[in-house]
Amino acid sequence: MNEYPLPTPHPTSAHPARVYNVWLGGKDHYPVDQEAAELAAGANPTIVPSVRANRAFLGRAVRHLAAAGVRQFLDVGTGIPAAENTHEVAQQAAPDARVVYVDNDPIVLTHARALLVSGPEGQTDYVQADARDVDAILDAASRTLDLNRPVGLMLVAILQYVKDAEDPWDITRRLLDRLAPGSYLVLSHPAADVTAPEVAESMRIYNERAASHASATPRTRKEVERFLEGLEILEPGVVTLTRWRPGPSDTADDSLPMWCAVARKE
């Protein structure tokens, strides 16, 4: 029996990728996802700007890694495709970049195969797997990526769906263990210690409507720093989304309750 059974599309429980799709203004969701998204955002008005800032952080981080010579990316927890996906950003900078997308929702993978199409010089692949199933992810990714060369591991707004009892810190370490030196971790995570009451209430509302395997746990900055142990953390360290290497037109907003960081494996 599969230790991490994959979900089937179900219209009575909210799913993270579909709720996220609502917040990004998409149309690929069920009424239960829209209800969860709207009620959670009502309890925490920073959710929608946080989701957009999270996409912007992903873009800045991928561009930085591409400029540093990274040509391979493993994006775990892809979500339903939206603007500025990992391969689009990477291949704008490096047309030969290869990207493997991983998600456990078959709806996500259906959209990914249709919409996340590589440029002619690069390559994309799609893996249906649970974020906790490290061996399945890496074995499948190795069909497209050379794990003996640096990889940008993208864990962007995904680890909150791994419970403390399932040890998301160990999952992150095991993913990194099989990647070559010079690989990077790109991480973002909802914060439990920024606008804490609003975050707690919005998470409660979402979790009441989500399937048990998709419930979310915000974490403190100290808990997020644990994901980066043993890595070289790039400046400016663990910061809120808009503080990570903003562009000249970006506006800082420390009320957005998500921590983020980029770190390098020595």
Side-chain angles (χ1 to χ4, degrees):
M1 183 177 178
N2 189 349
E3 185 180 358
Y4 304 108
L6 297 172
T8 55
H10 204 289
T12 60
S13 296
H15 185 279
R18 300 193 304 263
V19 172
Y20 203 84
N21 179 258
V22 177
W23 289 330
L24 284 174
K27 298 179 180 179
D28 299 302
H29 48 262
Y30 293 124
V32 68
D33 304 305
Q34 178 134 9
E35 179 191 44
E38 291 177 351
L39 290 173
N44 180 10
T46 66
I47 284 181
V48 171
S50 293
V51 165
R52 293 172 180 166
N54 190 55
R55 295 293 294 186
F57 160 69
L58 180 150
R60 296 196 303 275
V62 170
R63 281 188 285 271
H64 176 82
L65 267 57
V70 175
R71 296 294 180 267
Q72 305 187 109
F73 297 84
L74 177 58
D75 188 335
V76 180
T78 305
I80 293 170
E84 293 285 280
N85 295 287
T86 297
H87 83 283
E88 293 171 332
V89 177
Q91 291 181 357
Q92 286 169 5
D96 60 339
R98 295 184 169 206
V99 178
V100 173
Y101 290 106
V102 181
D103 207 287
N104 69 346
D105 187 341
I107 289 179
V108 168
L109 272 297
T110 297
H111 284 278
R113 290 188 178 96
L115 299 174
L116 303 182
V117 180
S118 174
E121 297 177 52
Q123 190 172 345
T124 57
D125 196 11
Y126 321 95
V127 175
Q128 187 179 5
D130 191 284
R132 298 165 293 177
D133 199 346
V134 171
D135 290 337
I137 290 171
L138 293 173
D139 290 347
S142 66
R143 296 194 299 260
T144 301
L145 308 180
D146 179 356
L147 302 187
N148 294 312
R149 296 173 52 231
V151 173
L153 173 62
M154 316 294 295
L155 297 178
V156 176
I158 182 63
L159 290 171
Q160 67 267 29
Y161 301 112
V162 182
K163 299 176 177 64
D164 286 358
E166 296 167 327
D167 203 342
W169 301 278
D170 182 64
I171 288 169
T172 303
R173 179 189 59 76
R174 289 192 291 121
L175 284 166
L176 286 164
D177 279 351
R178 282 184 56 185
L179 302 184
S183 294
Y184 289 82
L185 171 62
V186 177
L187 172 74
S188 66
H189 197 295
D193 46 358
V194 179
T195 61
E198 292 86 351
V199 170
E201 179 62 10
S202 64
M203 288 288 186
R204 183 192 67 77
I205 290 169
Y206 164 77
N207 287 340
E208 285 180 349
R209 290 157 178 80
S212 60
H213 69 271
S215 62
T217 303
R219 294 186 170 99
T220 65
R221 180 176 179 173
K222 185 174 181 180
E223 289 173 314
V224 170
E225 288 172 344
R226 285 182 58 195
F227 291 112
L228 309 169
E229 289 179 357
L231 304 176
E232 176 194 358
I233 304 174
L234 276 59
E235 292 293 338
V238 179
V239 292
T240 51
L241 292 166
T242 58
R243 294 288 183 182
W244 199 88
R245 305 195 179 197
S249 62
D250 293 325
T251 301
D253 186 349
D254 290 327
S255 72
L256 302 184
M258 290 190 76
W259 297 115
C260 68
V262 178
R264 184 177 184 271
K265 178 179 177 180
E266 300 280 9

